[in-house]
């Protein structure tokens, strides 16, 4: 038995191909034909583009800090692109350049807009560099090409120019916007800050008003006032004390006078009685003796010797006191005054108090002392009140100080913030004027768009080659599919497997001579068509 | 047992005996084969070579691969027939358009080209007769007339001009009740006539597809062997299995693969 019957070999594959060549060839013809037609019929595409360098950091100026827009070039390009390819911008180009005028009647502006968008090409320009962290080569975006593709070279050129101009304008727009946003934000902040400061200042003013005496800066004053008040109080108190002693002294004098006038009256009375009794009874009469004793009692031992006795006693006491104390001691002074009084009283005896001028004088003096004391007492009370008040204020001072300091601290903080904001605003305003000018440009035109001469597309040869590859692939697929789906007898081996009979003979497909001729003619025609097409494409590219 | 069956038996017996008794036309046919001039007893018929080329009948084919393939087929069939002492062959297939008629005709022509052989080609596709058309024959009566009793065997056996040692029994009119007629006494008569020919004469019956008509199953018992024609890319695999299954015990001489993509001579054939 032939071993080739069990395993499919090259022959079997060839046979399969022969069986399916109709499907195979048809598929190839259809798809390759479409590819060739596409390659021939697709219109030329012209392309015009502007190359721009992108420098995100901006030019280096020492005094100024340019805006940190973004750290990634592609991000910046994307944000620019979103602003450039807006409906408004694109339709403005269409109107200004009058491109697609032949399509204006058929298509609406939104349709033209999407056509333009489809034909814009943004291609990044990169450069190879080393990543300092990983040490691997990375590609950095250093710029991009903004190009436009169109069937007319003039159209491509005009739109490309508009595209580039809009990119540059949008670069400035972004920078100006960002910078202006910073300064307007700072202005707002400054306004808020200023309001805060005014509020704090008002609060501090009213606080000072409310706690006028307890402010920490009045501490020294308060202390000196306290000292003075204390001294005043002490002097008032001592004055009162002296006055009181004086008063007591004068009162005792007054009492003495009162007593003397009283015993004088009794003595006169007794002397009268004595004279009467002596005259009546004799000197040994008990009554006379009794009276004599009484008189003696009043006058001190013997009649008419009483006063001198007291003076003797006082002189004795004074002598004793002078031994103990100095002349200025109040006791000494008091004894001296008493002795003087007694001596003067001995000489002038007053019978009636009301007419005694000494008595009256003393009374008036005592009254004057009382008035003086009352005045001093009032003053002492006033001083006490004042003193208490100052003490209260001093007691409040730590609390007031605490709050006062807090308020001042807040004010200081706000003032510092204000200063800071002011300086930042100045900087932001500088940045704004820099960014809104040409100096801050992040995009720089490297190569201007030019009128294209050679078309860039379509890649006719590539379309044909790819179309051919695709056609062959599809054809193989179609053949395999047909073979899989086909349930018919496939050959000798198949028959043997099915019914275990080896065919007695195999008759090839019988073709008449006419059909052979026909096939040859067809092959010639196909070859001519394909060859012609390829020639056409060659000449086209 | 019917009269027809008796007749067939008798015919088979006489065939087995290899009786050399001359019998009218059969005798003359055999003699003609042996003497190898144009058979005067048979009705001469003109053929249309252009029609034959169009119908892919052998003389019109100049494709070497095809003619070689037919030669191989003829040789193998002859060898097998001779080995088994058979001389009738039924050509059928599972379905239509598989090339049964072309195969039968080209086989008959190939066999007749051998000077030691002669062939009788019978169009037994009663419902769709086509041999006459394929050969471009202009004939009078055909098998239909014979079966209906309107003509005798002598009136329907033709000798196509230019194709020596080939006799044809064509048919021109489609016959509706074919399966009734296939077992009719007239048919038995025809079979008996073919069996009367000597063993160098091979009778080939072109018949309708197995799975479309039951004619083959009704007729198969009257032939020695069956040749199944299969067309690559056309014959359903299940139909082939079914056909072989239906034929069952009957002798399948072989299967011919038509429309083969396999080029003869490119690979070896296994001989047996």
């Amino acid at each position: 038995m032939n071993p080739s019957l069990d395993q499919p070999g090259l022959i079997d594959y060839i046979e399969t191909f022969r069986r399916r060549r109709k499907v195979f060839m048809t598929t190839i013809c259809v798809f390759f034909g479409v590819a060739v037609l596409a390659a021939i019929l697709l219109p030329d595409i012209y392309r015009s583009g502007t190359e721009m360098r992108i420098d995100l950091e901006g030019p280096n100026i020492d005094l100024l800090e340019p805006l940190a827009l973004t750290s990634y070039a592609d991000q910046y390009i994307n944000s620019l692109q979103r602003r450039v390819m807006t409906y408004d911008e694109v339709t403005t180009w269409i109107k200004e350049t009058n491109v697609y005028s032949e399509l204006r009647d058929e298509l609406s502006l939104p349709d033209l807009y999407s056509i333009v968008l489809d034909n814009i090409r943004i291609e990044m320009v990169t450069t190879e560099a080393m990543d300092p962290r990983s040490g691997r080569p990375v590609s950095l975006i250093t710029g991009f090409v903004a190009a436009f593709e169109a069937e007319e070279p003039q159209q491509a050129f005009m739109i490309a120019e508009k595209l580039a101009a809009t990119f540059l304008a949008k670069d400035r727009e972004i920078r100006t916007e960002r910078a202006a946003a910073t300064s307007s934000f700072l202005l707002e902040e400054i306004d808020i800050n200023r309001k805060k400061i005014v509020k704090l200042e008002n609060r501090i003013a009213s606080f000072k008003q409310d706690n006028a005496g307890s402010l920490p800066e009045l501490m020294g004053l308060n202390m000196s006032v306290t000292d003075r008040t204390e001294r005043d109080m002490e002097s008032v108190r001592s004055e009162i004390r002296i006055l009181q002693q004086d008063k007591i002294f004068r009162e005792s004098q007054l009492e003495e006078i009162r007593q003397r006038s009283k015993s004088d009256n009794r003595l006169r009375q007794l002397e009268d009685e004595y004279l009467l009794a002596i005259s009546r009874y004799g000197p040994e009469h008990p009554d006379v003796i009794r009276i004599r004793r009484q008189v003696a009692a009043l006058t001190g031992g013997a009649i008419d010797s009483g006063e001198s006795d007291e003076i003797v006693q006082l002189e004795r006491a004074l002598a004793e006191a002078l031994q103990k104390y100095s002349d200025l001691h109040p006791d000494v002074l008091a004894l001296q005054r008493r002795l003087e009084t007694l001596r003067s009283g001995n000489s002038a005896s007053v019978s009636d108090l009301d007419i005694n001028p000494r008595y009256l004088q003393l009374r008036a003096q005592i009254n004057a002392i009382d008035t003086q004391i009352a005045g001093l007492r009032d003053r002492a009370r006033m001083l006490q009140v004042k003193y208490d008040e100052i003490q209260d204020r001093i007691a409040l001072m730590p609390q007031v100080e605490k709050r006062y300091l807090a308020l001042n601290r807040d004010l200081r903080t706000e003032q510092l913030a204000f200063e800071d904001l002011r300086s930042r605003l100045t900087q932001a305003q500088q940045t704004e004027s820099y960014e809104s000018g040409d100096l801050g440009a992040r995009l720089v035109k490297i190569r201007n768009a030019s009128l294209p001469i050679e078309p860039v597309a379509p890649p006719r040869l590539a379309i044909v080659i790819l179309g051919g590859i695709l056609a062959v692939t599809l054809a193989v697929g179609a053949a395999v599919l047909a073979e899989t789906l086909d349930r018919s007898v496939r050959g000798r081996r198949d028959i043997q497997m099915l019914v275990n009979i080896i065919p007695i003979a195999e008759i090839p497909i019988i073709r008449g001579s006419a059909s052979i001729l026909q096939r040859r003619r067809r092959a010639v025609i196909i070859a001519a068509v394909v060859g012609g097409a390829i020639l056409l494409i060659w000449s086209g590219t | 047992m019917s009269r027809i069956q008796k007749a067939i038996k008798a015919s088979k017996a006489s065939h087995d005996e290899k009786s050399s008794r001359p019998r009218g036309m059969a005798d003359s046919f055999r003699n003609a084969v042996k003497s190898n001039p144009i058979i005067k007893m048979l009705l001469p018929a003109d053929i249309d070579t252009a029609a034959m080329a169009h119908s892919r009948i052998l003389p019109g084919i100049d494709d070497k691969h095809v003619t070689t393939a037919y030669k191989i087929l003829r040789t193998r069939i002859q060898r097998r027939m001779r080995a088994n002492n058979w001389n009738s062959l039924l050509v059928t297939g599972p379905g239509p358009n598989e090339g049964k008629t072309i195969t039968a005709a080209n086989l008959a022509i190939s066999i007749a080209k051998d000077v030691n052989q002669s062939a009788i080609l019978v169009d037994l596709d009663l419902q769709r007769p086509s041999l006459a058309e394929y050969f471009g024959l202009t004939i009078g009566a055909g098998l239909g007339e014979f079966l209906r009793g309107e003509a005798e065997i002598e009136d329907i056996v033709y000798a196509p001009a230019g194709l020596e040692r080939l006799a044809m029994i064509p048919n021109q009119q489609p016959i509706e009740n074919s399966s009734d007629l296939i077992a009719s006494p007239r048919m038995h008569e025809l079979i008996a006539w073919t069996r009367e020919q000597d063993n160098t004469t091979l009778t080939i019956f072109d018949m309708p597809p197995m799975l479309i008509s039951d004619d083959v199953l009704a007729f198969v018992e009257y032939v020695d062997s069956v040749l199944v024609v299969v067309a690559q890319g056309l014959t359903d695999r299940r139909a082939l299995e079914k056909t072989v299954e239906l034929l069952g015990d009957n002798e399948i001489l072989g299967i011919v693969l038509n429309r083969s993509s396999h080029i003869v001579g490119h690979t070896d054939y296994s001989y047996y």
Side-chain angles (χ1 to χ4, degrees), chain B:
Chain B
M1 194 177 280
S2 71
R3 195 170 60 83
I4 297 156
Q5 281 167 321
K6 276 178 191 164
I8 290 168
K9 270 205 164 174
S11 138
K12 268 193 173 170
S14 66
H15 177 77
D16 290 344
E17 283 166 13
K18 295 193 171 20
S19 159
S20 57
R21 269 188 296 149
R23 253 196 209 182
M25 197 183 124
D27 265 349
S28 60
F29 178 62
R30 192 177 59 221
N31 291 334
V33 166
K34 283 187 174 167
S35 56
N36 200 15
I38 293 171
I39 305 165
K40 288 200 174 119
M41 289 294 294
L42 300 185
L43 299 166
D46 287 331
I47 53 169
D48 182 348
T49 47
M52 284 170 78
H54 184 259
S55 309
R56 298 178 171 88
I57 304 299
L58 260 183
I61 298 170
D62 44 17
D63 189 336
K64 283 278 180 288
H65 299 303
V66 177
T67 49
T68 311
Y70 276 120
K71 272 178 193 158
I72 291 166
L73 176 67
R74 178 194 67 180
T75 312
R76 289 185 178 169
I77 283 174
Q78 279 178 328
R79 195 184 299 154
R80 289 192 190 182
M81 298 289 279
R82 217 174 285 136
N84 293 295
N85 206 18
W86 292 335
N87 60 5
S88 63
L89 178 67
L90 187 158
V91 179
T92 186
N97 303 321
E98 286 162 343
K100 295 176 293 295
T101 304
I102 292 170
T103 304
N106 285 338
L107 180 62
I109 290 168
S110 297
I111 287 169
K113 273 185 182 164
D114 185 344
V115 290
N116 297 316
Q117 288 263 303
S118 53
I120 306 169
L121 180 58
V122 184
D123 190 349
L124 215 56
D125 191 346
L126 296 176
Q127 286 174 15
R128 294 170 66 187
S130 52
L131 264 178
E133 193 192 325
Y134 279 19
F135 278 76
L137 284 179
T138 44
I139 54 164
L143 187 61
E145 284 79 6
F146 171 75
L147 289 175
R148 284 195 296 272
E150 291 162 14
E152 291 307 315
I153 290 184
E154 303 88 68
D155 306 324
I156 60 164
V157 183
Y158 293 88
L163 297 170
E164 290 176 21
R165 295 177 292 281
L166 177 66
M168 276 180 76
I169 302 179
N171 186 20
Q172 272 183 315
Q173 297 157 327
I175 297 164
E176 289 304 317
N177 50 344
S178 60
S179 52
D180 295 342
L181 286 175
I182 214 100
S184 68
R186 292 293 273 187
M187 187 61 85
H188 287 195
E189 201 176 316
L190 179 73
I191 294 162
W193 178 77
T194 61
R195 288 197 185 286
E196 280 167 16
Q197 310 308 317
D198 67 6
N199 56 0
T200 61
T201 304
L202 212 129
T203 311
I204 296 168
F205 296 97
D206 177 32
M207 291 212 67
M210 281 280 296
L211 303 180
I212 287 176
S213 151
D214 56 355
D215 288 6
V216 175
L217 286 174
F219 191 74
V220 72
E221 61 176 297
Y222 305 122
V223 294
D224 296 326
S225 60
V226 178
L227 183 69
V228 177
V229 177
V230 169
Q232 177 176 310
L234 192 71
T235 306
D236 192 86
R237 308 168 91 203
R238 245 179 275 160
L240 173 62
E241 285 179 315
K242 181 87 179 157
T243 303
V244 173
E245 190 187 316
L246 279 173
L247 285 170
D249 295 336
N250 292 290
E251 288 296 343
I252 296 178
L253 183 68
I255 295 175
V256 176
L257 179 62
N258 253 347
R259 304 170 67 89
S260 169
S261 54
H262 191 91
I263 306 285
V264 179
H266 283 191
T267 57
D268 59 330
Y269 261 83
S270 42
Y271 287 90
Y272 34 85

